[in-house]
Amino acid sequence: MHMDNLRILGFRAKIDSVADTLKTIDSIKKDGEIIQLLNADAIAGENHIIHGVNQAFLAFERGENLAKDISVEIVLRCSAQRQISKAFKILGLREGEMNLCAILINCDDYTCELSNHFTLDDGVLGCDTEKLIEIYDISPVELVNNSADEVMIDRITKLNVDY
């Protein structure tokens, strides 16, 4: 399993049904392509996502993956969690208005197709430190010498050390 290309897009969305949204995403992508939607409010920027995705693929290469599915592994790594239920509580989809981070891996460019369902807005990918402090229980000590995205990258990396 390897990653040939990675695109990260931001969207604003109104989700009426998580199941229907996931079916729609599955209908857009082809076999072997990955489109993973995450709660963008729990993202500390593109470097956070890039690091989490890279760590997910490396975990599979090393046989140290925590999940059987690469998409679930991406959610685990990006949330810096070991438990799938906690990871999806943080980064998973929910009904109602929400900001989305769409991760496209080994995919064609589906910006138009995704834009038919959501409103393209890469601004939702910005790092809101106050939200991240609340979501991830980041302590003031962690932020003394690091930005929120550096804290998240560090936590993702520590998942490997704690393995």
Side-chain angles (χ1 to χ4, degrees):
M1 180 179 303
H2 64 284
M3 181 173 41
D4 291 326
N5 64 53
L6 169 68
R7 294 199 61 195
I8 301 167
L9 302 169
F11 292 94
R12 284 180 283 110
K14 181 174 187 307
I15 297 178
D16 295 321
S17 162
V18 171
D20 289 347
T21 300
L22 295 175
K23 283 180 194 164
T24 299
I25 297 305
D26 282 342
S27 73
I28 292 171
K29 66 185 177 91
K30 299 178 196 125
D31 284 346
E33 295 180 328
I34 299 168
I35 300 176
Q36 181 65 54
L37 300 179
L38 303 176
N39 173 6
D41 292 343
I43 298 301
E46 286 194 20
N47 287 336
H48 173 186
I49 294 302
I50 292 166
H51 188 67
V53 169
N54 282 330
Q55 290 301 309
F57 274 85
L58 287 171
F60 266 86
E61 286 176 22
R62 292 188 303 256
E64 296 174 355
N65 44 302
L66 302 167
K68 293 180 178 134
D69 181 84
I70 187 66
S71 294
V72 176
E73 190 74 21
I74 289 168
V75 177
L76 285 168
R77 299 294 167 160
C78 288
S79 67
Q81 300 295 314
R82 300 184 79 65
Q83 291 182 4
I84 292 171
S85 60
K86 283 185 180 179
F88 276 98
K89 187 174 182 185
I90 293 169
L91 285 176
L93 302 183
R94 65 184 188 295
E95 292 178 0
E97 303 275 335
M98 72 178 297
N99 297 323
L100 297 176
C101 171
I103 304 169
L104 286 70
I105 302 170
N106 301 339
C107 281
D108 291 334
D109 183 354
Y110 294 123
T111 305
C112 290
E113 290 84 346
L114 291 169
S115 294
N116 289 333
H117 303 281
F118 315 119
T119 304
L120 185 63
D121 181 0
D122 284 337
V124 303
L125 299 175
C127 180
D128 184 333
T129 302
E130 293 306 313
K131 277 186 186 175
L132 295 170
I133 287 169
E134 187 177 323
I135 292 168
Y136 292 104
D137 195 27
I138 298 172
S139 72
V141 172
E142 289 177 284
L143 292 169
V144 169
N145 293 314
N146 297 298
S147 63
D149 70 321
E150 290 169 327
V151 170
M152 290 311 303
I153 288 167
D154 185 51
R155 287 185 178 191
I156 291 166
T157 303
K158 284 181 179 173
L159 283 177
N160 297 330
V161 175
D162 295 340
Y163 179 74

